Amino acid sequence: MTKKQKIFGVIVLVLLLGTIGYLSFAVKTDSEFKIEIISLEGNIHLSKEDYMKFANLSDRKEYSQLTMQIIKDRIEKHPYVQSADVRYDGKGKVSVKVNEKVFDSLLMNGEEQYILTENLQVLPFMSETKKIDYPVISNAWINKIKILSSLKNNGDVVTASKIISGIKLINAELYDGLSNIDMRNGGDILLSFSFLDYPVIVGRGNEIRKIVYFNSFWTYLKGKEINNYMEYVDLRYSNHVYLGITQENLEAGEKQS
């Protein structure tokens, strides 16, 4: 064995011993953490107490049996959680930073209500859920819904999601007022806005282009008295916007004037 080979062998041995020592210290240190307090932040859609209860972290008497990995695994099992960052702050305190999934809309399927994420993943709707002022997608053509599954291949849901995204990008005011997208089980799509007493008929096909037309039209229509007499806005016909005004409403308007 040459001198260089001996030196190389010694270096490898030192590195192996160092790695083993480090791993032994790390495992020992983690096992010796005495967890007394667990704090949680980053939550929006559920309270800290709800997340802690779900993860079975409410009883401080059981903290001695926990490790940071166990805490992380329990929190990340919640359907609203994308990931959780867990760190030991010292003096028995563990901090948890929750990264929630991004909600996009609510989905109504018969009497059942679900939450859809920006990736169209189906989440359960929990009664304790906070800040759920999202557009509702109703009467979409869906055979079966499974929690945590994706609806990226469902045509009705994808179309509704594109309409929501389009309105959000085009006009924040319209997005804030968008309350419902009725897919009508394959029929003409209807939009409802909280500040309008009449529906907007989108129909099928070229939905985003029609939304752009309506946005331009709404800029002119906003605040006008004619809104009081309208029954609907119809966007089904290419490059045209039709207003539904009944004779009864016109006559009522004329009498008031």
Side-chain angles (χ1 to χ4, degrees), residues 15 22 24-25 34 49 51 62-63 74 78 81 91 97 100 129 146 156 161 164 175 181 183 193 209 222 235-236 254:
L15 289 175
Y22 172 79
S24 299
F25 175 78
K34 186 178 181 181
E49 292 75 18
Y51 277 124
E62 299 181 358
Y63 285 3
R74 289 186 184 182
H78 196 287
V81 176
K91 298 182 179 180
K97 173 67 180 299
E100 293 178 323
T129 308
K146 184 178 179 181
D156 266 9
S161 180
I164 293 172
Y175 172 75
I181 302 178
M183 302 305 292
F193 294 87
R209 181 180 298 178
K222 183 171 62 175
L235 306 173
R236 288 177 293 177
E254 291 173 356

Side-chain angles (χ1 to χ4, degrees), residues 49-106:
E49 292 75 18
D50 288 329
Y51 277 124
M52 296 287 280
K53 182 178 180 180
F54 176 90
N56 195 24
L57 299 173
S58 299
D59 189 354
R60 295 180 60 176
K61 296 179 181 179
E62 299 181 358
Y63 285 3
S64 60
Q65 305 173 21
L66 301 176
T67 65
M68 291 194 297
Q69 188 61 48
I70 291 176
I71 296 172
K72 178 180 174 67
D73 291 343
R74 289 186 184 182
I75 292 291
E76 289 184 338
K77 285 181 180 179
H78 196 287
Y80 288 6
V81 176
Q82 183 67 41
S83 63
D85 299 323
V86 181
R87 69 174 184 269
Y88 184 71
D89 296 330
K91 298 182 179 180
K93 181 181 178 182
V94 171
S95 296
V96 179
K97 173 67 180 299
V98 172
N99 301 302
E100 293 178 323
K101 296 174 182 177
V102 179
F103 292 3
D104 181 72
S105 57
L106 302 179

Side-chain angles (χ1 to χ4, degrees), residues 212-238:
V212 173
Y213 292 153
F214 178 69
N215 177 61
S216 300
F217 179 68
W218 171 246
T219 302
Y220 166 79
L221 192 67
K222 183 171 62 175
K224 297 290 193 303
E225 187 178 357
I226 191 174
N227 282 287
N228 300 324
Y229 312 125
M230 290 172 54
E231 294 290 325
Y232 60 86
V233 171
D234 195 339
L235 306 173
R236 288 177 293 177
Y237 306 98
S238 180

